[in-house]
Amino acid sequence: MGWSTEKTEVDAPGGGPEPAAVPAQGSVPAGAAAPTQGGAQPPVALSPSRASDFMQCPLLYRFRVIDKLPEKPSPAATRGTVVHAVLERLFDAPAVERTADGARALVPVEWEKLLAKRPELVGLFPDDVDGALLGQWLAEAEGLVDRWFTLEDPTRLEPADRELYVETVLDSGLRLRGFIDRVDVAPTGEVRLVDYKTGKAPRPQFAEGALFQMKFYALVMWRLRRVVPRRLQLVYLGSGEVVTYDPGEADLRAVERKLLALWEAIRLATETGDWRPRPTKLCGWCDHQAHCPEFGGTPPVYPLPVRATADPAGGPGVAPRETQSLPVRATADPAGGPGVAPREAQSLPVRPAEGGSGPQGRMEQIE
């Protein structure tokens, strides 16, 4: 089907904020709980990335959303940010000028813009005396942009929206928000949501985890526009593949139920201070090993108040077991490496999605 050039608008509750008006990390919407000591506060909304964080590892979610521990920028995530910016800016030009050469020329331009906003990114290549590493990194970004031209023809596309910030509040009171890379609208009104991925497409058994983000956005758009998106499209620049999925109302209702269960689990963990680590192969990419009990670390003191839980035996309420106060004994690595903390049994109401994201991607902008 063809996709129209007509511009459409999404009105979020209260007036539809532009990206510049997105609540900053740690901001509190009207009616939300006030910050506590040190500026920490309970979570107030879900984005796809933060929902995936909790499903991957509740303790990681806590470190990012509540403790707001700093993370080192990675070359892969930063490259993803630059490539996304290029693919967004490309559509500023008339259709006939949207060429691969022109897009490649935007890569160093968008890198310099990003560097001006985030000067700490100069440290991505600390030992790059002659600039060879940066040059290779930029060339890799240009290669990803080149590959996109083999998957889509920008001269035949006129997106209705690019980098669209969306936010809605479900009937339950749960606030959902995020950025959609591209929204296409067909002449007949069908909506297609498109997301660019700078990594490789996951194996089929892990495809559902990748589609979760898109179904999240489809649910938000459905609630905002009262129209179920006709198609969800993931464009994998790392492997040159396009994955599509056509959702129905039943899909989106199932996603809503999952998000409600997930939010309830987050609410319970927030109130009790009981955030369990969930070790996976992705732990090797985590910046927070020094604070993780699984690696012999100790989390920061929990900055939010916790409520006592009832004693199952009928005794007085007791404070919950908190991960930051656990004595963790490292066990010997059979291979002779440094000791690692043992994995503890977990009981999460939501089963994490398989095939979570690794170091590929772009820097997340919202909570």
Side-chain angles (χ1 to χ4, degrees):
M1 75 179 56
W3 297 96
S4 169
T5 65
E6 294 185 14
K7 181 74 171 178
T8 56
E9 297 294 335
V10 173
D11 293 325
E18 294 293 327
V22 176
Q25 292 188 4
S27 64
V28 186
T36 59
Q37 58 181 1
Q41 64 184 42
V44 297
L46 265 183
S47 70
S49 293
R50 298 292 80 83
S52 295
D53 283 347
F54 188 86
M55 289 188 290
Q56 176 185 322
C57 174
L59 188 58
L60 174 64
Y61 177 95
R62 178 202 145 171
F63 287 159
R64 286 178 167 171
V65 176
I66 295 177
D67 297 300
K68 295 182 173 60
L69 297 183
E71 297 183 355
K72 295 180 296 184
S74 74
T78 307
R79 183 174 56 233
T81 301
V82 170
V83 171
H84 276 77
V86 168
L87 298 184
E88 179 188 3
R89 294 276 70 82
L90 181 67
F91 287 101
D92 289 343
V96 295
E97 297 179 16
R98 298 170 194 162
T99 65
D101 288 341
R104 281 195 302 271
L106 287 174
V107 170
V109 174
E110 293 301 326
W111 161 240
E112 291 297 333
K113 288 182 181 178
L114 183 61
L115 190 59
K117 294 177 182 177
R118 298 193 56 187
E120 72 274 13
L121 294 178
V122 73
L124 282 176
F125 309 103
D127 301 322
D128 190 21
V129 179
D130 59 358
L133 293 178
L134 174 60
Q136 179 183 350
W137 181 83
L138 290 171
E140 291 169 352
E142 292 172 1
L144 293 173
V145 171
D146 269 339
R147 184 168 289 150
W148 178 68
F149 280 81
T150 69
L151 304 174
E152 296 191 284
D153 182 357
T155 66
R156 303 182 64 182
L157 294 171
E158 290 295 343
D161 291 286
R162 292 168 278 152
E163 283 294 310
L164 176 67
Y165 175 71
V166 291
E167 178 175 321
T168 192
V169 179
L170 303 179
D171 293 340
S172 64
L174 173 57
R175 184 182 301 269
L176 305 177
R177 62 194 187 194
F179 283 93
I180 303 174
D181 287 345
R182 200 178 85 216
V183 180
D184 299 330
V185 179
T188 50
E190 290 96 341
V191 174
R192 176 173 65 183
L193 307 184
V194 181
D195 192 73
Y196 308 121
K197 300 293 185 185
T198 51
K200 297 180 179 180
R203 296 194 297 272
Q205 61 266 40
F206 299 137
E208 183 57 34
L211 282 171
F212 169 75
Q213 174 187 13
M214 299 305 291
K215 291 181 180 180
F216 182 110
Y217 289 139
L219 172 62
V220 175
M221 292 291 281
W222 181 33
R223 295 308 186 198
L224 287 173
R225 295 185 177 177
R226 308 301 178 191
V227 175
V228 175
R230 172 69 176 82
R231 175 155 295 174
L232 310 178
Q233 181 166 305
L234 289 156
V235 182
Y236 287 96
L237 305 178
S239 54
E241 299 175 65
V242 175
V243 177
T244 62
Y245 182 82
D246 297 341
E249 287 192 15
D251 288 311
L252 303 189
R253 293 188 190 279
V255 170
E256 183 170 359
R257 290 192 298 271
K258 180 174 183 176
L259 290 174
L260 291 176
L262 184 64
W263 188 246
E264 176 61 20
I266 291 172
R267 183 196 63 78
L268 182 62
T270 302
E271 290 184 357
T272 63
D274 193 358
W275 302 89
R276 306 291 179 93
R278 181 179 181 267
T280 69
K281 62 182 180 181
L282 300 177
C283 292
W285 290 312
C286 184
D287 280 342
H288 307 303
Q289 293 180 8
H291 296 288
C292 180
E294 291 294 326
F295 291 86
T298 302
V301 174
Y302 191 56
L304 298 176
V306 296
R307 63 174 173 82
T309 56
D311 185 341
V318 295
R321 171 179 121 2
E322 297 185 59
T323 54
Q324 71 271 12
S325 60
L326 285 177
V328 179
R329 179 176 62 85
T331 58
D333 184 339
V340 295
R343 177 177 179 178
E344 296 188 6
Q346 299 176 41
S347 178
L348 293 177
V350 180
R351 184 178 182 275
E354 297 295 338
S357 61
Q360 298 290 340
R362 58 172 165 164
M363 294 176 286
E364 181 64 24
Q365 304 174 68
I366 64 175
E367 290 299 328

